[in-house]
């Protein structure tokens, strides 16, 4: 229904049969084939307990002991580096191939809030732009068969007096604004990556967990708390499993899981209660996304719980390398602070093709803005030369108990939003008219109930 508004204008439940079509399930037939390729890494049955390498709970910094355990584990063919019960203080942890960092029940890794603990700088991306910056709290580059598992807790100890103040929302001189602008200019002016050096005095926060250019990656079972920024960031990885992770972290830009330019990703049975998108799929920002040219492809999200966050699942906004084949099913979402269930966001600076995005069989209790949000007027909006495209976005059997509106879809004439369909879904307690601008969006066999 291009440029149209759909809303029930009485308190009765009405059926909205806008076109006589049925959802095409052929795309879902890809899921079993994708899952066959997503195989968790296997590790030798050998444990290396950090207390055997000098780590002491409750006091001294254990960074060197953990590094020694990882080195020994890798040199001897791999296994588990075990964090036993207790609280252990550490700086940056760099994993190696065939190493599983395993936290036992009642184990806590508390990460230093001293930025010097994350130097020297490493090759990374900051909000989709390649650079050298502080090491993520847990980092691996170019490794194969690597994991973080267990029932313990990863605590970044971030708060408004440490990492979070670098966002710049509360004023002060220790904020990222100047450096972030410099990095953005470097990207837009194609400055070589080796010259994009950041660190002390630039205040650009590190991610919590980043696997960079890795294969066969797993994060399973752990509890993640108080992150400086993005929580789990697989970057340019293949064969990624994120399972049973519990994330509670409400800082600025505290996305739960950000697969970026990744292929074959499974995110399942996780709980997200975050300060930004619960899951945000990305593929690089502006020139870097197009230069590297690696899309995010074949991502399966299922059986997750989403609470606070900007979106249950988002695609963008750093999506210049494009994204296709996203399958979301059997998720539970509800919070007065959850903005929407599904969100696509880009603009004419970032561009990208966002296609074959599917969500089905999800129960949504309460959202703050809408069920589906597509925002191609995000930030720079239509000002740019790379008009974004969204096509074949399908939601089916979505049950929503309370939402201000169903649709908040904002395109512009040069962009393209086509083939957006919601089938066989019900929306209750709808208060406001939908917003649909410059887009082809249709509801098929849906019911809407207006709030009294």
């Amino acid at each position: 229904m291009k440029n149209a508004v759909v809303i029930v204008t009485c308190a009765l439940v009405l059926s909205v049969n806008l076109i006589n079509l049925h959802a095409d399930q052929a795309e879902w037939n890809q899921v079993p084939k994708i899952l066959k390729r997503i195989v968790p890494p296997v590790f030798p049955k050998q444990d290396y307990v950090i207390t055997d390498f000098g780590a002491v709970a409750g006091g001294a910094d254990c960074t060197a002991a953990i590094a020694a355990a990882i080195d020994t584990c890798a040199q001897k063919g791999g296994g588990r580096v075990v964090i036993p019960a207790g609280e252990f203080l550490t700086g940056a942890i760099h994993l190696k191939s065939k190493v599983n960092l395993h936290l036992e029940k009642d184990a806590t890794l508390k990460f230093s809030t001293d930025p010097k603990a994350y130097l020297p700088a490493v090759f990374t991306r900051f909000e989709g732009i390649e650079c050298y910056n502080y090491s993520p709290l847990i980092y691996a580059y170019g490794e194969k068969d690597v994991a973080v598992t267990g029932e313990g807790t990863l605590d970044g100890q971030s708060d408004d007096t440490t990492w979070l103040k670098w966002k710049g929302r509360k004023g002060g001189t220790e904020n990222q604004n100047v450096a972030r602008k410099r990095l953005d200019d470097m990207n837009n002016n194609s400055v070589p990556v080796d010259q994009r050096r950041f660190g002390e005095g630039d205040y650009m926060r590190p991610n919590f967990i980043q696997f960079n250019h890795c294969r066969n990656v797993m994060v399973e079972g752990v509890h993640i708390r108080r992150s400086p920024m993005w929580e789990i960031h697989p970057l340019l990885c293949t064969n990624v499993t994120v399972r049973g992770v519990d994330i509670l972290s409400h800082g600025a830009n505290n996305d739960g899981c950000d697969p970026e330019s990744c292929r074959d990703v499974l995110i399942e049975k996780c709980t997200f209660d975050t300060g930004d998108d619960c899951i945000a799929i990305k593929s690089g920002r502006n020139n870097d996304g197009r230069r590297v040219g690696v899309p995010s492809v074949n991502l399966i999200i299922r059986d997750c719980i989403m609470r606070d966050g900007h979106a249950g699942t988002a695609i963008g906004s750093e999506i210049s390398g494009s994204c296709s084949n996203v399958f979301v099913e059997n998720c539970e979402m509800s919070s007065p602070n959850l903005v929407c269930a599904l969100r696509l966001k880009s603009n004419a600076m970032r561009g990208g093709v966002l296609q074959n995005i599917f969500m089905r069989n999800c129960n949504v209790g309460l959202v703050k803005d809408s069920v589906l949000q597509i925002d191609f007027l995000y930030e720079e909006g239509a000002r740019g030369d790379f008009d974004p495209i969204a096509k074949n976005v399908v939601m089916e059997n979505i049950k929503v108990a309370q939402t201000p509106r169903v649709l908040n879809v904002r395109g512009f004439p040069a962009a393209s939003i086509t083939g957006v369909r919601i089938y066989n879904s019900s929306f209750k307690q709808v208060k406001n008219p939908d917003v649909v601008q410059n887009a082809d969006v249709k509801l098929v066999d849906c019911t809407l109930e207006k709030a009294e």
Side-chain angles (χ1 to χ4, degrees), residues 169-411:
R169 288 180 174 173
K170 297 182 182 299
T173 58
E174 292 184 359
N175 68 69
Q176 68 183 21
N177 297 340
V178 173
R180 186 176 184 268
K181 174 64 165 57
R182 187 167 80 251
L183 177 60
D184 196 42
D185 289 342
M186 287 176 168
N187 181 25
N188 293 333
N189 293 318
S190 300
V191 172
V193 175
D194 190 57
Q195 297 177 25
R196 305 176 190 176
R197 300 280 174 169
F198 296 82
E200 194 167 7
D202 292 313
Y203 309 112
M204 296 203 310
R205 294 161 292 154
N207 302 149
F208 205 132
I209 302 173
Q210 183 186 98
F211 298 106
N212 191 331
H213 285 78
C214 294
R215 295 180 61 87
N216 310 339
V217 169
M218 181 167 65
V219 181
E220 183 176 44
V222 291
H223 306 269
I224 300 177
R225 302 290 185 265
R226 298 194 290 177
S227 176
M229 198 175 154
W230 297 356
E231 322 279 340
I232 302 173
H233 183 204
L235 171 60
L236 289 156
C237 291
T238 301
N239 185 22
V240 176
T241 301
V242 179
R243 176 184 295 133
V245 178
D246 170 66
I247 295 177
L248 174 59
S249 191
H250 278 197
N253 306 118
N254 270 211
D255 299 4
C257 185
D258 295 73
E260 183 170 8
S261 298
C262 290
R263 178 177 293 270
D264 294 344
V265 177
L266 172 63
I267 304 170
E268 66 175 356
K269 300 177 182 178
C270 296
T271 299
F272 298 96
D273 196 336
T274 65
D276 209 309
D277 297 317
C278 295
I279 297 171
I281 301 165
K282 302 177 182 292
S283 60
R285 178 170 176 158
N286 297 4
N287 284 353
D288 266 14
R290 292 182 284 271
R291 174 181 58 81
V292 177
V294 178
S296 282
V297 181
N298 301 336
L299 301 102
I300 298 167
I301 300 162
R302 63 186 186 184
D303 303 317
C304 291
I305 296 171
M306 287 89 163
R307 298 304 183 208
D308 281 11
H310 291 183
T313 297
I315 296 96
S317 61
E318 299 89 357
I319 202 69
S320 302
S322 299
C323 174
S324 63
N325 296 352
V326 178
F327 301 90
V328 183
E329 64 177 336
N330 302 327
C331 292
E332 300 282 339
M333 311 178 196
S334 185
S335 171
N337 298 314
L338 183 67
V339 176
C340 56
L342 178 63
R343 184 185 195 191
L344 283 62
K345 51 182 176 175
S346 186
N347 58 42
M349 288 287 289
R350 300 182 191 183
V353 179
L354 291 62
Q355 63 182 337
N356 304 334
I357 313 298
F358 308 104
M359 177 181 284
R360 69 180 184 185
N361 303 336
C362 291
N363 291 325
V364 181
L366 170 64
V367 289
K368 187 176 181 179
D369 175 76
S370 54
V371 179
L372 172 64
Q373 185 181 104
I374 301 178
D375 187 2
F376 281 177
L377 294 174
Y378 185 77
E379 293 189 346
E380 294 93 344
R383 300 189 302 275
D385 299 324
F386 303 94
D387 299 319
I389 296 170
K391 57 184 179 180
N392 200 23
V393 179
V394 180
M395 304 175 74
E396 183 174 14
N397 192 28
I398 311 298
K399 293 181 171 60
V400 183
Q402 185 174 343
T403 179
R405 57 173 57 87
V406 177
L407 305 171
N408 190 352
V409 178
R410 302 190 306 150

Side-chain angles (χ1 to χ4, degrees), residues 59-72:
D61 185 290
C62 300
T63 305
I66 294 171
I70 290 170
D71 288 345
T72 301

Side-chain angles (χ1 to χ4, degrees), residues 159-171 174-175:
D159 60 27
D160 287 338
T161 69
T162 57
W163 298 113
L164 295 185
K165 69 179 179 181
W166 289 9
K167 173 66 175 177
R169 288 180 174 173
K170 297 182 182 299
E174 292 184 359
N175 68 69

